[in-house]
Amino acid sequence: MPSNRLEAPLRKLMGPGPLDIHPRVYQALTTPVIGHLDPAYLKTLDRVGELLRNVFATQNRLTHATPGTGTSGMEACVANLLEPGDAVLVCVLGYFGDRIRQMAERQEADVTLLEGEWGKPADPERIKEELDKRSYKVIALVHAETSTGVLQPMDEISRLAKEYGVMILLDSVTSLGGVEVKADEWGLDAAYSCSQKCIGAPPGLAPVTFSDRAVEAARNRKHPIRSWYLDITLLDKYWGSERVYHHTSSSTLNYALLEALQLIDEEGLQHRFNRHLKNHKALVAGVEAMGLEMLVEPPYRLPTLNTVRIPEGVDDVKVRGYLLEKFNLEIGGGLGALKGKVWRVGLMGYSSSVENVLFFLSSLSRALAVQGCKSDLSSGLDAAMSELGA
Ligand SMILES: Cc1ncc(COP(=O)(O)O)c(C=O)c1O
């Protein structure tokens, strides 16, 4: 007789997300569901906000997690900051920058695109040229472009935004909790992330933070915010001191998010960033010693998401299928312009570990061998271990 039990294979998640989840976070998911206005639950929500302020490095009062995945955070930021006719400069150097562009166009903002090669960061010089041409309300860009594996340096862009009095809208979906995000220092007006990557919780919530200036601008718009669900002036009445019902907040997901944030707090942010960097360097050393190449130049490599070029003649889909079937290992394929050209290997949150680096190198070497592509695994493992100082 077929079993009615819910079954899912136990995978090792090393793709662009979701990633592996710490047992304590799984356990938090079984905490009893309670009402969204229960005083005990409101304490949970307050603590989520408090710990999110730490990871965003901000004092912003309006810092919380919108219901929905990272895309809901993106929509919250775009829909609240932009109204019809607002001039926005959108930097598109990958798949997710383009998603911001699409959303800004749906808000009927006056969108100027600053496009660049996928695999490279946005050039502050070009941003400056655009800012010299006309006045903008917002610059929108992606801090950690998951489609290319590029980490966007922020210091110069932040300086320019301050000099020209432009707001910054930042996608920190693949950086928050794994790479430094300095919302206050960089002067971010709206930033969003997701629960399922470096934060280490299941998908379903999107951490967001809005500066006081952004909240003020949202309150004083000419046109109403086009998304009712993600209108921060309404959400603020639930998250803030008024405690007015807005939506039935998922206590289950917020418990998990809180536990994941508590784990981050216990580890310490700087220690966590160092761990992500160390494991990334070991993976790169291993991959390169095996004879493979990275897509991104060293200064711009994102520690949390590694893009490895697929060697000539190797079948992307077969390799990923083999890894999943034989080793229960999930890695990501390329998106958009990079489809079939790169693998995307995530080392985020609980998945960023020495064991995972070594497991990935060995499994990939075997998958390549099955395709008739030789790689030097022994050198790869040696290089990774020596990078780790082991
Ligand atoms: C940089 C970036 N932005 C936005 C998103 C959208 O997030 P989600 O798929 O959680 O809606 C992703 C998803 O991977 C992403 O990597």
Side-chain angles (χ1 to χ4, degrees), residues 16 69-71 74 96 99 142 144 146 171 173-174 192 194 196-197:
T69 62
T71 307
M74 186 189 285
F96 292 102
R99 187 174 289 187
V142 179
T146 327
D171 177 317
V173 165
T174 302
Y192 59 90
C194 71
Q196 76 271 17
K197 299 198 196 228

Side-chain angles (χ1 to χ4, degrees), residues 76-92:
C77 291
V78 174
N80 283 280
L81 244 56
L82 295 175
E83 56 181 312
D86 279 348
V88 55
L89 182 61
V90 185
C91 303
V92 178

